[in-house]
Each structure stands twice: as C-alpha cells, then as structure tokens.
Amino acid sequence: MDTATLILQIFTILISITSMVIAVSSEFRENRKKNYIGIVTKQRIINKDCIRNYSQILLQNTHIAILPHATVKNLEDCVGAVSGIEVVFKNIYSQEKTFIDKANSLVGALSDYLNDKTDITLQNLLQNRNEFYKIYSIYDLSDWRFIKAQSIGKEIDSEDFDRIYENTEKTFNEKQ
C-alpha cells in the first residue's frame, strides 16, 4: 500500500468520524429541542385545562338561571375558583393580570348581589359576567393558537403570545 492510498483512507476515516459526530450532535440538539417543546406544551395544556375548569365554575355560579337560588356556597365556589386561577396565572403578565382582575370583579359583583338583591346589583353582576366571559374567550383562544404554533416545533415566547393575544382581541372587538 502506498502513502497516497494510506493518506486517502485516513482522510476518509476522519471525514466519516466528523460526519458521524455532526449527525449525532445535530440529532441530540433536535431531540433536546423537541423534548423541551413537548414539556412546555404539555404544561400549557394542563394550565389551560385548569383555567377552563375554574372559569366554568365562575360562569356556572353566576349564570342568570342560578342567581335566584344563589347562596354563600356559590360565592365560596367562586372564591375557590379565583384562587385556583391566581395559582396558575401570574400578575406580571398583563393578560393574566387582567384575567385575574376580571375574575375578582365577578366574585365581588356576586357578593354584592347576594348582600343586596336589587336590579342594580343584578345588572352589575351580569355585566361583570359578560366581561369575564369575553376576557376568558380571548385568552382561551389565544392560548390555543399559541399551543398550536408551539407544538409544530417553533420555539416561541411571551412576545409571540402577546402578538397572538392582540390579534385575537382585535378580532373579538371587531365582531362586537
């Protein structure tokens, strides 16, 4: 075997090893990215389900059909639901703070109604319920759009959520 053939074989081996290292490294990075996105997406879905359940409790206990029969138990259920929302959401994000504030306003309006069952407190409660439902709907749809975008492998962050939320909110406001 002459030197040129030996050098060519060594060169070929080095290229093969380099290609293999690059492929393994690239696959490792890609799997790491997919695992990260999978974990984050799964947690967002869990949070989304929690918020949906808590919101359902708020809307159920302030529904016009239940109000003539509403008691302190309904108020307690709503306070529990708001507390659950506060555990999942963070006040540092403006959309989540607005959501928490609307939920608290709804509970306050229910408390006012239970203490003074007048047309004024009823109208205030129903207005707060409609505002909460709107905020819930905007957030829920925005969150779902964010989850869909993230689940296809895009690394997206809170600024992307803000953009999605703004577009969703604009759509809701145009249709009303």
Side-chain angles (χ1 to χ4, degrees):
M1 202 188 290
D2 68 354
T3 335
T5 305
L6 185 60
I7 291 173
L8 188 56
Q9 287 178 342
I10 292 171
F11 186 68
T12 303
I13 290 171
L14 289 174
I15 289 175
S16 296
I17 290 172
T18 303
S19 296
M20 188 169 57
V21 167
I22 290 171
V24 168
S25 174
S26 176
E27 185 176 336
F28 176 76
R29 275 192 306 254
E30 189 63 32
N31 284 339
R32 189 168 152 210
K33 178 181 167 185
K34 285 179 185 175
N35 287 336
Y36 171 79
I37 290 171
I39 289 168
V40 171
T41 300
K42 182 178 178 182
Q43 187 59 51
R44 274 198 90 91
I45 291 171
I46 290 169
N47 290 352
K48 181 177 175 48
D49 285 342
C50 286
I51 296 302
R52 181 175 281 168
N53 291 334
Y54 295 134
S55 296
Q56 184 266 330
I57 291 168
L58 287 169
L59 292 169
Q60 173 184 328
N61 283 287
T62 57
H63 192 278
I64 187 73
I66 199 77
L67 291 178
H69 314 288
T71 66
V72 172
K73 172 75 170 103
N74 298 95
L75 182 62
E76 289 170 353
D77 290 346
C78 288
V79 168
V82 171
S83 297
I85 290 169
E86 290 173 333
V87 167
V88 175
F89 279 171
K90 308 298 176 250
N91 270 330
I92 60 170
Y93 300 112
S94 64
Q95 298 91 351
E96 293 181 5
K97 182 179 181 343
T98 300
F99 195 101
I100 292 168
D101 291 346
K102 290 293 181 188
N104 278 316
S105 293
L106 180 57
V107 171
L110 177 59
S111 178
D112 291 346
Y113 173 74
L114 290 174
N115 288 326
D116 183 26
K117 292 186 177 184
T118 63
D119 284 343
I120 293 172
T121 57
L122 176 62
Q123 291 308 314
N124 184 46
L125 174 58
L126 295 176
Q127 179 182 345
N128 274 278
R129 185 180 191 278
N130 287 337
E131 290 171 5
F132 173 77
Y133 180 68
K134 180 181 177 184
I135 290 296
Y136 164 74
S137 298
I138 293 168
Y139 192 92
D140 187 63
L141 183 56
S142 300
D143 201 28
W144 182 244
R145 289 175 174 169
F146 184 83
I147 289 168
K148 284 186 349 183
Q150 191 174 51
S151 71
I152 61 172
K154 288 175 66 177
E155 285 191 46
I156 54 180
D157 57 19
S158 60
E159 285 139 15
D160 294 303
F161 180 80
D162 292 346
R163 182 183 44 76
I164 291 169
Y165 188 92
E166 287 172 16
N167 290 338
T168 305
E169 185 176 37
K170 184 192 294 183
T171 302
F172 267 77
N173 290 332
E174 288 172 356
K175 301 223 176 196
Q176 289 189 354

